[in-house]
Structures are given as structure tokens and as C-alpha cells.
Amino acid sequence: QVQLVESGGGSAQAGGSLRLSCLVSGSDFAINAMGWYRQAPGKRRELAAHIASGGDPYYLDSVKGRFTISRDDAKSTVYLQMNNLQLEDTGVYYCTLLGGSQFPDDLWGQGTQVTVSS
């Protein structure tokens, strides 16, 4: 059974930083692309960043230059470093194992809350 366990969420002031981590078990981690979705209150879930093993990362325009996604295949972990946080970054962040390689569908973690205050 595949499990994705996020950690590192919390509260930060605008301009501050947080680092999210997601440990994945039960999969052949290295062959799967990984992503971070986020959902702000009252808004649709959106893909903030994703990364394939050995591939170039993708970023949502609004987080480019502030967020960095990375992965450690030896630790089956994906990270999201979030710098210069803005109020609009507030939301629930979900680690996602993107379907299409080992699995046909996306697999999701439980989500972690990120709250940015002024």
C-alpha cells in the first residue's frame, strides 16, 4: 500500500520561509514524478510544482523564483522549499505521486496546512 506522509507545514509571517517534506512508502519512488498541489480557502486545487526524476521542475507562475521543489530518491522523499511567503500562499498543501508511470492515477497525501500572516 502506497503512503505519502507530509510534514513541515505551519505558520509563517509574510516574507518568511517554510519547508515541506513528503515521505513516500510502498512505491518505486524513483520512476514516479512527484508534485505539490495546494488549495486555498474557497479556491480550486492547483499544481504548485512538480518534478520527475532527472527532469526539469515545473512551477506555477505565481511561485516561480520563490519555491523550489527537490527530491531525494534514496530517501523516497520530495521537498518544497517555500521562501518569501505571501498571504496568498495560505492553504492546504498536498504531496502527490503523479500517475502515468507506476500507477494510472494520482496518489495523494493527507495534506498539511500552511498559513501566512502579515
Side-chain angles (χ1 to χ4, degrees):
Q1 183 177 357
V2 180
Q3 287 191 312
L4 294 82
V5 180
E6 300 109 335
S7 59
S11 298
Q13 288 192 321
S17 298
L18 287 172
R19 188 192 195 207
L20 306 182
S21 300
C22 175
L23 174 63
V24 183
S25 59
S27 77
D28 187 357
F29 182 82
I31 71 170
N32 293 294
M34 297 296 303
W36 288 95
Y37 276 81
R38 67 182 187 179
Q39 188 165 19
K43 295 190 176 181
R44 289 184 177 181
R45 194 172 295 188
E46 60 184 2
L47 180 60
H50 71 71
I51 186 169
S53 185
D56 292 331
Y58 156 87
Y59 297 101
L60 187 67
D61 283 347
S62 60
V63 309
K64 281 181 182 176
R66 301 188 298 117
F67 289 12
T68 302
I69 188 171
S70 61
R71 60 189 293 159
D72 185 335
D73 289 352
K75 295 182 179 179
S76 297
T77 300
V78 61
Y79 305 96
L80 187 67
Q81 177 67 43
M82 305 184 292
N83 297 329
N84 190 21
L85 283 162
Q86 306 297 310
L87 297 179
E88 55 267 30
D89 296 320
T90 294
V92 180
Y93 284 69
Y94 298 90
C95 175
T96 309
L97 189 156
L98 299 173
S101 295
Q102 186 176 0
F103 304 99
D105 300 314
D106 295 347
L107 302 176
W108 299 82
Q110 79 283 0
T112 186
Q113 177 70 43
V114 170
T115 302
V116 184
S117 59
S118 58

